[in-house]
Amino acid sequence: MDQKNEKEKECLDSEKKVIIEGKAELLLSISRDVFYNPVQEFNRDLSIAVLTLCAEDHHQKVWERKVKENEKVHKNGSEDIPVEELTAGRKYEEGLTILEALSASGLRSIRYAKEVPGVREVIANDISAKAVSSIRGNVVHNGVEHLVTTSHEDAVILMYKHRQPSERVSAVDLDPYGCPSPFLDAAVQCVSDGGVLLVTCTDMAVLAGNCPETCYSKYGAISLHIKSCHEMALRIVLQCIESHANRYGRYIVPLLSISADFYVRVFVRIFSGPAICKKTTSKLALVFQCTGCETLSLQPLGVSHQYGDKPHQFKFTLPHGPPVGALCHHCRHKHHMGGPIWIGPLHDEMFVSRLEQLAATGEFGTARRMQGVLAMVREELPDVPLYYTLDRLCSVIHAESIPMMQFRSALMNGGYRVSLSHANRMSVKTDAPASFVWDIMRHWVKLHPIRKCRLQGVAAILLSQEPTNEINMEVRSDANPESREKGLARFQENPQRFWGPGMRARSNIQGEDKMEKSRKNQGKRNRSEAGSPVKDGCTKQMKGEEEQWCT
């Protein structure tokens, strides 16, 4: 479990509690009028690290521009322009402008102001008047009035006001309660060219395949209930952002995509270029899932071919398909179809390596977890979408569990690449065809036979076929991932007891004095059976019970 840098203590002079996270100190009302979730500290630490590197890149571009301008002025000989060292908490006129559209407690904005170097302005916006009032107080309490500007406005309207190129911001952070889709259209327009969009999605039941029809209405893609559902959730979110950006001649380049705890978090750069937008079809694919053996097949929506000597010359064609027949080649079952999903890289390898170095400094409360997750991300195969899980492969054929090292070694001995995924501890991400994977399982069953009474259904069909590939399961030393050899905390325990997305703040859009639905419906069945009248969500009960209801 992560070692927390967070402390809570009761204030002596008011009904507030003090929350210390990073360099920020937050005063929050104990009545929960403003939303705050301590489990999201890892999310906030990672966001600060990403923006810190983005600030360094932005500062480097500003310096290079000044050098070129200086060379034009001094044609005979340019003056040396020193590289200014960035410091957190100081205002830079040519620094980053960060917009947090849904600030809630304002903790994230305050931490950006105090911990991200090279910042010009942080705009902390929320539609709740109570939240904005709390943010203003905490901004003064932390002494960042010169950097943080509060805003009480609808997030979509505020972002639309910044969509003109001269008004665009360097980074937009979207961390809504649930689905971010209502905000994406405005967000992709208000980010400057090369700017960063940070998006969190907490509606994992929708993205993970429990509600595919809802997923399509919210994200424009069908989710599948598969073992690699967490990575598929990331790829659905990325294709959703890409589709919004393409409408305005813009496209995304993912920097980092993380599935953690109860949410997914993506960090993408936004660029303008209608010509590059044509490549989007080759970055998206439909997913075919066998209903029997659960083998996955991908059907790209388009194909791009480079021709000529110039790197920008591409020819776009329609692909041939489908990649599967009416029945599965391996077990003769039908298929489910999902997607489209993003099949391009989830991460920028160079950027992730820089993040690892920054996390190794130990400046973050969740530094240990950051190092482990980033190490896993760096080891992932960038060009292989989705993954198998070893436990499910064994379950399909009713075989005993195969050691991960042996399975990875068998793939590597066959000449294929293999890696884990940060989204699942039993994941197997490989470029080997499904036929080779099932041949490994058949070879394993020959070494470890199963009872005949268990040879039924899909297992009987799969194991009745003879292997067509030679399998060597001799364990290799390089099959052990580097992150495992170093003993990094790759897969975390639950951050704390009863962790999760947290409850909504009591102040909401419909009305800040409106009673919560959970309190309104408490004892609803008893009231209906007794036939007692209901007024404003409260029952006409004895005074003592009413006081207990409202506390």
Side-chain angles (χ1 to χ4, degrees):
M1 186 175 293
D2 296 331
Q3 184 177 1
K4 292 293 180 181
N5 186 33
E6 181 182 315
K7 300 178 182 178
E8 295 186 4
K9 56 183 179 180
E10 297 295 333
C11 290
L12 300 177
D13 56 343
S14 64
E15 294 183 352
K16 291 187 176 181
K17 60 182 178 181
V18 177
I19 297 171
I20 301 175
E21 184 180 295
K23 296 181 180 180
E25 186 175 281
L26 211 64
L27 302 177
L28 289 182
S29 171
I30 61 176
S31 59
R32 202 169 55 81
D33 291 329
V34 179
F35 180 81
Y36 164 72
N37 191 351
V39 177
Q40 290 277 40
E41 183 183 0
F42 173 69
N43 185 325
R44 290 184 283 268
D45 284 350
L46 206 56
S47 302
I48 290 169
V50 169
L51 289 177
T52 298
L53 296 185
C54 292
E56 293 177 0
D57 295 341
H58 177 80
H59 184 65
Q60 181 66 22
K61 290 180 180 179
V62 171
W63 178 79
E64 291 175 356
R65 176 174 55 81
K66 289 181 178 180
V67 170
K68 290 182 180 179
E69 292 175 354
N70 186 51
E71 289 177 350
K72 291 181 180 180
V73 174
H74 304 277
K75 295 182 179 180
N76 296 330
S78 60
E79 298 178 358
D80 291 335
I81 299 179
V83 180
E84 188 179 7
E85 185 176 352
L86 297 180
T87 306
R90 175 185 165 190
K91 185 170 184 177
Y92 292 80
E93 290 301 328
E94 294 184 292
L96 296 182
T97 300
I98 305 171
L99 169 59
E100 188 186 9
L102 309 163
S103 295
S105 65
L107 173 60
R108 194 182 297 259
S109 293
I110 293 172
R111 289 195 63 188
Y112 287 164
K114 301 191 75 171
E115 300 179 41
V116 177
V119 172
R120 179 178 180 269
E121 182 185 17
V122 179
I123 303 173
N125 176 75
D126 203 277
I127 199 170
S128 166
K130 289 184 178 179
V132 174
S133 177
S134 175
I135 294 171
R136 288 196 185 109
N138 282 302
V139 167
V140 174
H141 180 74
N142 285 271
V144 289
E145 305 97 315
H146 61 296
L147 287 175
V148 180
T149 303
T150 57
S151 171
H152 179 210
E153 200 164 357
D154 183 278
V156 174
I157 295 175
L158 177 63
M159 288 188 286
Y160 275 136
K161 288 181 178 179
H162 288 82
R163 63 181 175 177
Q164 294 299 326
S166 59
E167 299 292 331
R168 287 174 178 169
V169 297
S170 310
V172 172
D173 193 324
L174 294 177
D175 191 358
Y177 192 93
C179 176
S181 293
F183 310 100
L184 291 179
D185 188 79
V188 297
Q189 296 184 70
C190 74
V191 178
S192 60
D193 202 39
V196 188
L197 179 60
L198 307 86
V199 182
T200 301
C201 307
T202 59
D203 53 339
M204 288 303 295
V206 173
L207 288 167
N210 289 352
C211 308
E213 65 286 345
T214 305
C215 186
Y216 182 80
S217 65
K218 289 185 175 182
Y219 295 95
I222 298 291
S223 56
L224 295 175
H225 197 69
I226 56 180
K227 283 296 183 177
S228 55
C229 59
H230 292 94
E231 182 178 322
M232 188 169 182
L234 286 170
R235 296 184 179 276
I236 288 175
V237 173
L238 289 175
Q239 74 81 27
C240 183
I241 300 174
E242 174 80 349
S243 66
H244 281 279
N246 286 168
R247 296 166 195 169
Y248 306 100
R250 315 195 81 187
Y251 62 96
I252 68 170
V253 176
L255 295 177
L256 178 67
S257 307
I258 293 292
S259 172
D261 300 332
F262 52 86
Y263 61 89
V264 292
R265 177 76 161 171
V266 297
F267 306 83
V268 300
R269 286 196 188 275
I270 305 289
F271 294 96
S272 298
I276 305 298
C277 293
K278 295 180 181 180
K279 297 181 181 180
T280 296
T281 54
S282 61
K283 301 175 186 176
L284 304 179
L286 298 174
V287 183
F288 291 85
Q289 177 204 14
C290 174
T291 57
C293 62
E294 302 181 10
T295 299
L296 300 176
S297 303
L298 298 178
Q299 172 63 60
L301 299 187
V303 180
S304 61
H305 302 281
Q306 184 175 351
Y307 69 94
D309 298 331
K310 298 181 180 180
H312 63 275
Q313 292 180 329
F314 280 89
K315 182 180 179 181
F316 303 96
T317 59
L318 293 176
H320 297 286
V324 296
L327 299 177
C328 174
H329 173 71
H330 306 286
C331 68
R332 313 303 296 168
H333 279 65
K334 294 183 178 181
H335 293 87
H336 285 154
M337 186 174 70
I341 65 169
W342 175 270
I343 57 173
L346 292 177
H347 325 283
D348 184 307
E349 294 184 40
M350 185 65 69
F351 192 84
V352 171
S353 298
R354 294 172 60 195
L355 278 176
E356 276 191 280
Q357 296 175 6
L358 184 59
T361 60
E363 297 178 359
F364 303 98
T366 59
R368 180 171 174 266
R369 182 179 187 184
M370 288 175 64
Q371 292 180 61
V373 171
L374 292 173
M376 289 287 299
V377 165
R378 181 175 47 80
E379 292 173 349
E380 289 182 9
L381 295 177
D383 56 345
V384 179
L386 307 179
Y387 53 82
Y388 302 93
T389 58
L390 196 52
D391 54 342
R392 187 55 188 165
L393 288 173
C394 295
S395 177
V396 168
I397 60 175
H398 309 302
E400 64 178 80
S401 298
I402 176 174
M404 178 65 78
M405 288 288 289
Q406 277 192 267
F407 191 82
R408 288 171 59 93
S409 298
L411 289 167
M412 297 176 72
N413 290 331
Y416 299 103
R417 296 175 298 152
V418 61
S419 75
L420 292 170
S421 169
H422 75 278
N424 192 308
R425 67 171 63 244
M426 297 299 293
S427 57
V428 178
K429 186 184 284 286
T430 179
D431 59 350
S435 58
F436 190 86
V437 173
W438 288 120
D439 278 352
I440 295 177
M441 301 309 299
R442 295 184 186 103
H443 182 78
W444 174 254
V445 170
K446 287 185 177 181
L447 299 177
H448 302 81
I450 61 177
R451 289 178 294 177
K452 292 184 178 180
C453 62
R454 308 194 70 179
L455 289 176
Q456 300 177 1
V458 177
I461 298 174
L462 288 172
L463 297 178
S464 64
Q465 306 171 34
E466 288 296 323
T468 57
N469 297 281
E470 184 178 348
I471 305 299
N472 178 10
M473 303 192 72
E474 182 180 354
V475 177
R476 299 165 54 123
S477 59
D478 56 348
N480 194 21
E482 182 183 352
S483 57
R484 185 168 180 249
E485 289 181 349
K486 292 182 178 180
L488 298 177
R490 302 178 301 158
F491 301 99
Q492 303 297 311
E493 298 179 5
N494 293 346
Q496 63 183 37
R497 293 186 65 193
F498 312 118
W499 64 280
M503 297 177 63
R504 279 187 190 270
R506 288 195 172 125
S507 58
N508 49 54
I509 298 176
Q510 288 78 11
E512 301 199 350
D513 296 328
K514 186 176 180 180
M515 180 177 291
E516 288 184 53
K517 185 177 179 181
S518 58
R519 293 178 60 201
K520 179 180 177 180
N521 292 335
Q522 189 172 351
K524 178 175 64 175
R525 294 181 180 177
N526 295 335
R527 293 198 302 270
S528 61
E529 292 175 359
S532 57
V534 179
K535 182 179 181 181
D536 295 333
C538 294
T539 57
K540 294 182 178 180
Q541 298 177 352
M542 297 177 62
K543 184 176 181 180
E545 294 180 358
E546 186 174 355
E547 291 178 352
Q548 184 179 4
W549 176 277
C550 298
T551 54

